[in-house]
Amino acid sequence: MIDSLDITIQKTENSKLKDFDPSNLKFGHTFSDHMFVADYKDGEWTDLRIIPFDDFSLSPANSALHYGQSIFEGMKAFKNQDGEILLFRPEMNAKRFNNSAERMCMAEVPEELFMNAIKQLLKVDEDWIPDTPGSSMYIRPFMFATDNFLGVRPSETYKFVVINSPSGPYYADPVRVKIETEFTRAAKGGTGSAKTAGNYAGSLYPAQKAKKEGFDQLIWTDGATHNFVEEAGTMNVMFLIDGKLRTTPLTSTILPGVTRDSVLQLAKHWDVPVEEAPVKVDEVIKAAKEGRLQDAFGVGTAATIAHIKEIGYEDQLYTLPDVEKREFSARLRDYLEDVKRGKIEDEHNWITKF
Ligand code: COI
C-alpha cells in the first residue's frame, strides 16, 4: 500500500502516451505525462500535488537562477514480470538528497515525503515505465530556491519537484576518458559531495575541451596536486589492478554513489579484494603500461557500469583490455541489472516493491 500523505492528483486531459515509442529511447529526452510538485514556505511543505507535466513560471529575480541553490537526485524504476514497480535502494537517495540540502542551506525534505512523491507519481504514470532492453524509467527528484531576491542569503522558500523520463542507456558504448590535470571538479571543503547543479555547470567547460580531443568523459583528479584520481563526470570510478578492486574513499570532494556502495558490497560478498584508499594516477598508468590494469569502469545510477576502453593522460593514450573479456565488470553489470528488474532474488534487501 502506498501511504498517500495529502497529495492531490490532477490528471492530464492530453496524455502523450499514445505517441510514446519505448523501442528507441535516448537518455533524458522523453517525459511522462505528470510531475510532482510541493512548495516550502513558513517552515513547511505545502500544496503537495501531482499535475500535468508543464513549464514553470519564474520571476527573473528567482534566487536559484542567480546563486545556484539547486540540488537533484537520479534513480531508476523498473517493472517485474508481475507488473510490480521496483526501486533500487531509494532510501539512500532520500538521505543523500537531504545531505545535499544541508550543504546548500536548503530545506529538508522528509524521507516520507520524498518516497511518497516518487511512488505515487510512478503509479500515476506506470504505463510510461519502459520494458525494452536497456531502458528504464529515470526519476529526477530536484529542489530549487524560489525566493525572488537579489541579496546573497539562503532562500526561505523552495520547490520540490519529481519528473520521470523513460530512458535508454546513458552510455551505449564503452567510453574513452581523459585524466584531467588542469581543471578541478571539487576542492577539499567545497561542495563536491553534494549533488548540486553548480558542480555540473563547472564541469562543462573541461568536458567540452576533452570532447574536442576525442574523449567521452573526464576522470577528475584532486585539486591540490592532481596526483590522485577522484571521480568521473557523471559517476564514481573503479579500477581492477592485480586482482584488487580499487576506488577512492568518500571525502568532501566525492559524490557518495549508490551504485558505488552496491558494487563495493557485491565485490566483498564475492570475495574480491577491495581497497578504498587514495588511488594515485601514476599507479593506474603504470598498471596500464604493464598490463596489470585488468578492468576500469565508471559506476553510477544513469550509467550503471560504464566500461572504460581507453585512458588519455599527458598526451598518451592507454588502451585497456578488450571489454568483451572483462568478467568482473560484466558480472557486476548483469547482477545489478537483474536485481533491479526483479529477475533474481534480492539477497541484499535492496529493492522496494509496490
Ligand atoms: C545519475 O547517475 O543519476 C546522475 O545523476 C548522473 C547524471 C548527471 C546524468
Side-chain angles (χ1 to χ4, degrees):
M1 271 301 285
I2 298 174
D3 179 3
S4 57
L5 291 178
D6 245 343
I7 303 178
T8 60
I9 300 179
Q10 180 206 335
K11 289 204 180 170
T12 180
E13 287 172 9
N14 293 308
S15 173
K16 293 174 274 131
L17 198 54
K18 55 186 177 318
D19 303 320
F20 174 47
D21 175 11
S23 63
N24 197 16
L25 289 169
K26 295 196 188 118
F27 179 87
H29 282 267
T30 306
F31 301 99
S32 66
D33 275 335
H34 299 91
M35 61 184 185
F36 172 90
V37 184
D39 294 306
Y40 184 85
K41 53 176 183 252
D42 301 328
E44 57 183 343
W45 287 103
T46 60
D47 200 6
L48 281 46
R49 57 206 188 270
I50 289 174
I51 53 176
F53 184 96
D54 204 355
D55 298 347
F56 291 124
S57 135
L58 288 181
S59 160
N62 170 283
S63 63
L65 298 178
H66 297 268
Y67 307 124
Q69 266 191 304
S70 176
I71 59 170
F72 70 95
E73 273 301 318
M75 304 157 76
K76 281 177 177 174
F78 298 88
K79 263 190 185 170
N80 67 11
Q81 276 190 331
D82 302 325
E84 294 167 303
I85 301 172
L86 272 51
L87 288 169
F88 184 73
R89 309 188 74 184
E91 62 293 336
M92 284 194 81
N93 296 91
K95 288 197 175 76
R96 187 171 65 181
F97 194 67
N98 280 321
N99 289 339
S100 300
E102 189 182 357
R103 179 63 183 84
M104 303 309 292
C105 252
M106 298 169 77
E108 183 188 353
V109 174
E111 190 165 325
E112 195 194 4
L113 168 55
F114 185 92
M115 297 296 290
N116 272 277
I118 287 166
K119 284 179 171 181
Q120 290 221 39
L121 182 64
L122 280 169
K123 269 285 176 206
V124 169
D125 277 342
E126 69 174 321
D127 292 341
W128 287 86
I129 301 176
D131 59 0
T132 41
S135 65
S136 64
M137 183 72 120
Y138 185 76
I139 306 161
R140 173 53 62 87
F142 61 104
M143 177 180 17
F144 62 95
T146 50
D147 276 9
N148 301 324
F149 174 61
L150 295 184
V152 179
R153 57 134 172 87
S155 180
E156 287 167 3
T157 61
Y158 295 93
K159 256 189 178 19
F160 170 52
V161 187
V162 185
I163 54 174
N164 286 331
S165 176
S167 285
Y170 197 83
Y171 297 109
D173 298 307
V175 290
R176 177 182 287 141
V177 297
K178 173 186 167 186
I179 297 185
E180 177 60 62
T181 52
E182 183 186 357
F183 300 97
T184 302
R185 173 185 171 274
K188 202 171 159 196
T191 59
S193 64
K195 209 159 171 60
T196 184
N199 289 343
Y200 295 81
S203 76
L204 298 176
Y205 178 72
Q208 192 182 49
K209 244 180 134 216
K211 215 164 197 132
K212 285 188 187 142
E213 295 162 22
F215 295 99
D216 304 298
Q217 260 293 340
L218 296 175
I219 290 183
W220 297 103
T221 52
D222 69 288
T225 68
H226 293 297
N227 287 335
F228 294 91
V229 170
E230 295 259 292
E231 61 177 74
T234 52
M235 48 201 180
N236 299 111
V237 64
M238 299 192 175
F239 305 94
L240 191 68
I241 301 178
D242 296 328
K244 191 189 274 183
L245 184 64
R246 307 275 309 270
T247 197
T248 185
L250 295 179
T251 64
S252 65
T253 61
I254 304 291
L255 191 79
V258 177
T259 312
R260 176 190 181 280
D261 183 81
S262 311
V263 164
L264 293 178
Q265 276 194 50
L266 285 175
K268 287 173 195 162
H269 190 65
W270 295 342
D271 292 328
V272 173
V274 170
E275 190 175 308
E276 259 184 278
V279 180
K280 268 197 153 167
V281 174
D282 282 354
E283 264 186 277
V284 174
I285 297 302
K286 189 162 183 286
K289 279 186 191 160
E290 294 171 359
R292 293 181 294 106
L293 179 55
Q294 298 154 284
D295 209 337
F297 50 92
V299 296
T301 297
T304 311
I305 303 289
H307 288 111
I308 295 173
K309 62 176 178 188
E310 282 167 329
I311 297 181
Y313 180 57
E314 291 181 338
D315 296 330
Q316 296 287 320
L317 199 58
Y318 301 89
T319 302
L320 274 53
D322 190 355
V323 167
E324 301 302 319
K325 298 193 180 129
R326 300 198 208 164
E327 286 171 20
F328 178 61
S329 50
R331 185 178 177 198
L332 284 170
R333 186 198 51 211
D334 293 347
Y335 184 94
L336 287 169
E337 283 296 309
D338 287 351
V339 79
K340 287 179 190 179
R341 288 170 196 272
K343 289 187 176 167
I344 55 173
E345 192 201 337
D346 174 24
E347 54 186 335
H348 301 276
N349 256 327
W350 282 340
I351 299 297
T352 293
K353 208 188 281 184
F354 54 100

